[in-house]
Amino acid sequence: MIIITYNALLAVVFIISTLYLNSILINYKFGWPTSPPFDRPYLRALNPIKVLQVNRELLSNILSIRYINLFIAWKRFYNTIKPPYLYKDILYSVNKCRLDIHRSEKSVSSKQLRPIVVYVYGGAWMGGSKEMYCVLAANLANLTNCIVCCPDYLLGNVVHMLQDLKDCTRWLINHGKEYGGDPDNIIFVGHSAGAHLCVLNMIELINQSQWNTESNNIVQKIKGIIAIAGIYDIPQHLLFEIGRGVEDISGMYRAMLGVTGLKRYSPYFLIQDILSRNDSTNSIQKEKDIPWPFIVLLHGEKDTTVPIQQSEKFYIASNDLGIPVEFHELKHRHHTDYIIDMMNEKHQYHKIISDIIAPYVEKIILCNQ
């Protein structure tokens, strides 16, 4: 009986020590010493509740091993597919980032220029690569018959990321025709952090277009944005991350350049700023004359990583400004399951491309003809 009790005690000590060690290592790698400006950033990581929350996130990442088949699939696909269906590693930005161009068999055989879809992947502003989403981009190309561009962007700094999206658009305007794309008909599709960047980039360009000729030219080329599970109110999402216990290890705070960037790079607050300017200068008509693209907001009903309220709130603000926007709630969907499944045509959520995204792409194209 004493041996059993002693062994049980050793097991408990081992489990608790492992949980704390995991928390310390994860915070050291991702959080310390650049934690948000909350009290006691080092000691807070040792709070028992936070230790459990961090280990829960670690377990969630470990369980992603179940997608190993998709990892193998996109690795094989990326190494196998060649031009004219896939053009790889094209240098496009001042930050030395590269993009891939995906083409469907129909677009390759057609002499007609096709709209260009730019897929901007997510990854908490700190991770991801164009190779990971090559199958999804190819599926988009096949189901929309558009030219699909998937760019890498410099991670970790929102200013660099915005520069890369602007450079990507500029490159497509100058070189899109070489790959069968219509540089006057560009549509952005983004997920999570990628959705945030797509919308933020558009608002930044809209604001700059009032005095910058090049930005105005780029704005004219972007016809639509399909934003999936995006973050539009950064301060609100930081509070949500605090509730999950991941604010210290999340890349969001650092990517937004600290406290001063939380509202500065929040699409919701930028829209509110435009509304405030309208109220103070009675320039509603001027703002309405801005060629806002058609924006589609898609969000999973059961998203526990980015709550659906993010899209609902931004939808209301956009409507108030008169932006052409639609909101579509994806029933029974979480944050990443449908994105991962969109890479596999045998999965039920793959139909999101064919039943939701592709029709919206077609609608955006038709609205601009």
Side-chain angles (χ1 to χ4, degrees):
M1 183 67 181
I2 296 177
I3 295 177
I4 295 176
T5 302
Y6 179 72
N7 289 340
L9 180 61
L10 283 179
V12 170
V13 171
F14 174 78
I15 292 173
I16 293 176
S17 300
T18 301
L19 293 176
Y20 270 86
L21 180 61
N22 288 341
S23 180
I24 292 171
L25 291 176
I26 292 171
N27 274 279
Y28 178 77
K29 180 174 177 59
F30 296 106
W32 297 336
T34 55
S35 301
F38 305 121
D39 293 336
R40 300 176 300 168
Y42 293 92
L43 292 179
R44 286 187 309 108
L46 303 180
N47 181 293
I49 295 177
K50 187 175 287 291
V51 168
L52 291 175
Q53 290 172 320
V54 170
N55 276 274
R56 180 188 62 193
E57 296 299 319
L58 175 63
L59 178 61
S60 176
N61 285 316
I62 292 175
L63 291 177
S64 63
I65 191 69
R66 66 186 184 276
Y67 297 118
I68 187 65
N69 61 320
L70 288 179
F71 172 83
I72 295 172
W74 67 253
K75 274 288 189 181
R76 183 186 300 120
F77 179 90
Y78 196 77
N79 292 328
T80 302
I81 304 300
K82 307 294 182 184
Y85 303 105
L86 174 59
Y87 296 88
K88 306 176 190 176
D89 297 325
I90 303 169
L91 185 67
Y92 77 88
S93 80
V94 295
N95 292 322
K96 308 302 182 184
C97 293
R98 298 176 182 271
L99 58 79
D100 292 342
I101 297 290
H102 297 259
R103 302 179 67 187
S104 67
E105 189 170 341
K106 183 177 286 188
S107 68
V108 168
S109 60
S110 174
K111 295 182 180 180
Q112 181 181 4
L113 295 179
R114 296 296 301 160
I116 301 171
V117 171
V118 183
Y119 181 75
V120 184
Y121 54 78
W125 302 274
M126 301 295 285
S129 71
K130 58 185 176 56
E131 291 88 348
M132 287 176 59
Y133 295 92
C134 61
V135 175
L136 188 153
N139 288 339
L140 273 174
N142 291 328
L143 288 169
T144 62
N145 287 317
C146 293
I147 308 303
V148 175
C149 167
C150 188
D152 272 338
Y153 51 91
L154 194 60
L155 300 167
N157 184 311
V158 66
V159 174
H160 294 320
M161 292 183 253
L162 290 173
Q163 181 64 53
D164 287 338
L165 288 194
K166 185 175 181 179
D167 286 349
C168 178
T169 311
R170 184 189 294 114
W171 186 92
L172 290 169
I173 291 172
N174 294 331
H175 300 282
K177 285 185 178 180
E178 300 169 20
Y179 300 89
D182 180 0
D184 295 322
N185 211 344
I186 299 174
I187 301 167
F188 277 84
V189 178
H191 171 249
S192 192
H196 163 264
L197 292 172
C198 289
V199 174
L200 177 61
N201 178 57
M202 190 67 216
I203 298 174
E204 293 279 319
L205 288 169
I206 288 285
N207 285 332
Q208 294 168 10
S209 69
Q210 305 301 305
W211 50 268
N212 185 290
T213 303
E214 183 191 27
S215 294
N216 183 62
N217 180 54
I218 293 175
V219 166
Q220 304 289 336
K221 311 292 185 182
I222 300 175
K223 306 303 183 183
I225 298 173
I226 300 176
I228 309 169
I231 302 97
Y232 311 108
D233 182 340
I234 300 294
Q236 183 183 62
H237 193 63
L238 180 59
L239 293 176
F240 179 73
E241 287 190 339
I242 292 172
R244 289 174 58 205
V246 298
E247 73 277 13
D248 289 320
I249 62 176
S250 166
M252 183 181 72
Y253 180 84
R254 296 189 295 279
M256 297 303 121
L257 310 181
V259 173
T260 57
L262 296 182
K263 287 188 176 181
R264 166 65 183 84
Y265 299 111
S266 291
Y268 171 78
F269 286 102
L270 294 177
I271 293 296
Q272 292 297 322
D273 287 344
I274 296 175
L275 285 168
S276 297
R277 291 201 301 269
N278 287 342
D279 292 338
S280 62
T281 63
N282 295 318
S283 60
I284 287 284
Q285 187 59 47
K286 180 179 178 181
E287 298 292 354
K288 284 186 175 180
D289 289 340
I290 295 174
W292 288 96
F294 182 59
I295 299 177
V296 180
L297 304 173
L298 307 178
H299 215 118
E301 174 195 23
K302 294 187 176 181
D303 194 329
T304 57
T305 302
V306 179
I308 193 171
Q309 288 76 20
Q310 285 279 337
S311 289
E312 292 172 340
K313 187 176 182 179
F314 185 70
Y315 170 71
I316 293 172
S318 300
N319 252 332
D320 290 343
L321 188 58
I323 298 173
V325 59
E326 290 188 17
F327 172 61
H328 191 99
E329 180 180 305
L330 303 176
K331 295 292 185 181
H332 313 300
R333 305 298 201 266
H334 297 273
H335 188 67
T336 58
D337 51 3
Y338 48 88
I339 291 296
I340 293 172
D341 285 354
M342 281 182 346
M343 302 179 191
N344 190 334
E345 62 184 8
K346 295 180 181 179
H347 290 203
Q348 59 173 327
Y349 298 152
H350 181 77
K351 290 174 66 64
I352 288 178
I353 296 182
S354 59
D355 292 357
I356 299 177
I357 295 179
Y360 269 123
V361 168
E362 189 64 29
K363 180 176 181 178
I364 293 170
I365 295 170
L366 293 174
C367 287
N368 289 281
Q369 286 183 345

